[in-house]
């Protein structure tokens, strides 16, 4: 295998500006290689009540060996009191992506 094993992190934010700011911080700290920011409509239950809202979701690309550190840092700097952060190691990744991730 060439390069680094990949991992992904999914996390919603209140708006694109806050998602971009946190993404920039994680990029500067070399915890991620990329962040894709996506508008999402969220339907949820919070404090026993059903809600709905617009958010900006981020899909962060990182190395598998950085996954736990990136999640911990994201949780520490996220503006939500209870951020929904999910991360996973990728079962399959293209060679060029593994080579790119090895550069962070």
């Amino acid at each position: 295998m060439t390069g680094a094993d990949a991992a992904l992190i999914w996390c919603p934010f209140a708006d694109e500006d806050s998602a971009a700011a946190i993404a920039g911080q994680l990029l500067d700290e070399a915890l991620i290689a990329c962040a894709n920011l996506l508008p999402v409509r969220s339907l949820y239950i919070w404090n026993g009540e059903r809600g709905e809202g617009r958010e900006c979701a981020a899909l962060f690309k990182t190395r598998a060996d950085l996954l736990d550190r990136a999640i911990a840092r994201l949780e520490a700097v996220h503006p939500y009191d209870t951020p929904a952060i999910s991360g996973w190691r990728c079962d399959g990744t293209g060679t060029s992506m593994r080579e790119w991730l090895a550069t962070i």
Side-chain angles (χ1 to χ4, degrees):
M1 179 190 289
T2 302
D5 290 335
L8 298 170
I9 302 168
W10 173 264
C11 184
F13 293 83
D15 54 51
E16 187 175 343
D17 288 342
S18 61
I22 299 296
Q25 189 171 351
L26 296 178
L27 285 164
D28 290 345
E29 295 175 12
L31 292 172
I32 63 169
C34 178
N36 300 123
L37 306 182
L38 311 159
V40 296
R41 178 180 172 197
S42 297
L43 307 172
Y44 55 87
I45 296 177
W46 182 250
N47 292 328
E49 294 189 24
R50 189 170 171 159
E52 178 177 341
R54 298 285 177 183
E55 293 181 296
C56 179
L59 181 65
F60 299 108
K61 298 176 184 101
T62 190
R63 295 191 326 240
D65 65 309
L66 293 174
L67 180 61
D68 293 335
R69 283 180 42 210
I71 288 173
R73 185 66 174 139
L74 177 57
E75 191 168 36
V77 298
H78 198 289
Y80 285 176
D81 290 336
T82 308
I85 302 168
S86 299
W88 61 96
R89 288 161 179 79
C90 298
D91 290 335
T93 309
T95 301
S96 60
M97 184 168 171
R98 286 194 309 269
E99 290 171 351
W100 171 45
L101 290 173
T103 67
I104 61 169

